[in-house]
Amino acid sequence: MKKNPFLLAVLLCTFVSIRAQNDVRTAIATAADKIEPQTIAWRRDFHEHPELGNREFRTSKIIADHLRSLGIEVKEGVGKTGVVGILKGALPGPVIGLRADMDALPLVERTQVPFASKVKTTYNGQEVGVMHACGHDSHVAILMSVAEILSGMRKQLKGTVKFIFQPAEEGPPAGEEGGAALMIKEGVLDDPKVDVVFGLHINAATEVGKIKYRSEGAMAASDWFTIKVHGKGSHGSQPWGGIDPVVVSAQIIEGLQTIISRQTELTKDAAVISVCVIKGGVRSNIIPEEVEMTGTIRTLDTAMQRDIHERMRRTVTKIAESAGATADITIENKTLITYNDPGLVKKMLPSLQKTAGEGNVSWMDAMTGSEDFSFFGARVPSFFFFLGGMKPGQDPHTTAPHHTPDFYIDEDGFKLGVKAFCNLVFDYANVAPVAKHS
């Protein structure tokens, strides 16, 4: 049988390419093993010294100093306290963004870990504790480790990596801009122009060693609303002498829930309306003149989002009118739907499967939680996935939820996050279209 020189050459090139990719994957795994103790040490330090949004001064300095020590170009003060590191590989290729959020939450920690936070500060005029109750400390430690590994692999690296350390994911203080939207506004996706962004979030109800993902809408849009009900004050013993805004507010809360339970097509997508704060009155026998309520709306479909907003406005004003009161409602868009580009997910899913093992990567249901990573996904193709942070064998229903004083994550999960980010960078560069950047 006559040999085909062209076919032999193709097979040889394929073999060499696969061998090179396997060598890179092995090098990443070895480096991740080696840096794991440092990853954990960084995370514990950030956990013990948490900072709220737009106030991540200590955190950002540690990040910037580390990136500079690796010979990475550093930009500070992007979006208030954000840090951007730019690592240029030796070979031409795409510009890949990797994002980690840095901020903590206004909570008093109850965990018994030796590095638990004791930090106190003032938030919106109240004295509060400060706690990393969502895992952002681990995100920072993971991305710092990824930067160290990739900086040591410059010669094999195609293109450029932008390390995006973002402040205020949980929202900036009242009256301030912040978060992903502000970083984008200040040019984080430009100079050089970013082609794609990857992000991860550790999850306290997913086992260590596992990754969960979803194509298209993965997390909900988050809107915050404020309702002010204006009544007429009276003595508590004579409610007929006034218009009770407390009772009207209770009726409005009930009415808002029927928007979800009776007026929204929930077979299409999930939606949530939650009233979370009610303020009104100063004394047990005085009917107040005004009650204020604030809360959140979560939607996974933009048309449904618009419809719910309109129904809320009508429900609030008409219920108030029926009692002789008046009410106004303002709705503020906080985050967009976190949208995972379907083409990118399909292209990069094999990378995650090879990293974690195919059986450890699974499809997830959409979440009504929100993420301001969504602003990156609105500008460039993006892929946001979830990393296991729960002790294997534990019942996920018994783990403390995110944003609670008892929130806890297993540090054994960090290494997979480091490997996943590193492999996504190399694997995307190998399958990306013809590079526009160098």
Side-chain angles (χ1 to χ4, degrees), residues 137-159:
D137 50 346
S138 62
H139 302 167
V140 173
I142 286 169
L143 193 55
M144 288 173 67
S145 301
V146 171
E148 184 162 331
I149 291 172
L150 294 182
S151 68
M153 302 178 73
R154 280 183 176 88
K155 291 182 179 179
Q156 299 115 293
L157 185 61
K158 296 179 181 179

Side-chain angles (χ1 to χ4, degrees), residues 54 99-103 136 164 166-172 177-184 197 201 219-222 298 333-339 369-378 382 384:
N54 284 359
R99 177 271 205 165
D101 38 11
M102 305 188 297
D103 55 324
H136 297 185
I164 302 170
Q166 181 209 306
E169 190 282 324
E170 303 290 357
E177 288 185 272
L182 183 57
M183 291 194 84
I184 292 169
V197 179
H201 203 302
M219 298 184 74
S222 171
R298 303 300 170 102
N333 302 119
K334 284 291 185 179
T335 64
L336 311 175
I337 294 168
T338 302
Y339 185 83
S370 67
E371 246 288 347
D372 83 346
F373 182 86
S374 57
F375 290 101
F376 295 112
S382 300
F384 190 77

